[in-house]
Amino acid sequence: MYAVIRAYAGNSELADTLVEHEADIRQVIGGIDGFEAYYLLKLAEGTSTISVFENRERAEESSRAAAAWLAENLPDLNVAAPYVTAGEVLVAF
């Protein structure tokens, strides 16, 4: 498994907006082959998402899909590019 974390600093209202679009997010991210899990976190520092996929390629695809969806569907929020980090999942339970 491979996970990608997207951190949107200083933008906690983004989390609330994404909750309102859960069905769309589920289709965009969950529709990628190899999908395992998705988590949306509302943090004091902003919003973060964690996507887990079967392999690295699909995880990277999810970041491109998320960026495209945000640009197309929420242009008025002026969401800055997130800090993105990713890696192999070594323990999961």
Side-chain angles (χ1 to χ4, degrees):
M1 284 188 297
Y2 204 82
V4 60
I5 301 168
R6 291 178 289 277
Y8 302 87
N11 202 340
S12 58
E13 65 274 4
L14 175 60
D16 296 325
T17 303
L18 292 176
V19 167
E20 294 171 8
H21 294 277
E22 180 181 348
D24 295 334
I25 302 300
R26 184 181 299 267
Q27 183 178 358
V28 170
I29 302 298
I32 296 172
D33 287 340
F35 172 79
E36 300 276 340
Y38 176 85
Y39 304 95
L40 171 64
L41 293 82
K42 183 175 182 177
L43 309 169
E45 306 83 22
T47 298
S48 290
T49 64
I50 302 169
S51 300
V52 181
F53 285 85
E54 187 177 280
N55 59 44
R56 179 181 181 165
E57 293 76 23
R58 299 305 188 198
E60 290 173 351
E61 181 182 342
S62 77
S63 288
R64 291 188 296 274
W69 187 89
L70 284 170
E72 182 179 325
N73 294 280
L74 302 175
D76 295 339
L77 281 184
N78 296 318
V79 177
Y83 167 76
V84 179
T85 190
E88 184 179 0
V89 176
L90 299 180
V91 176
F93 55 88

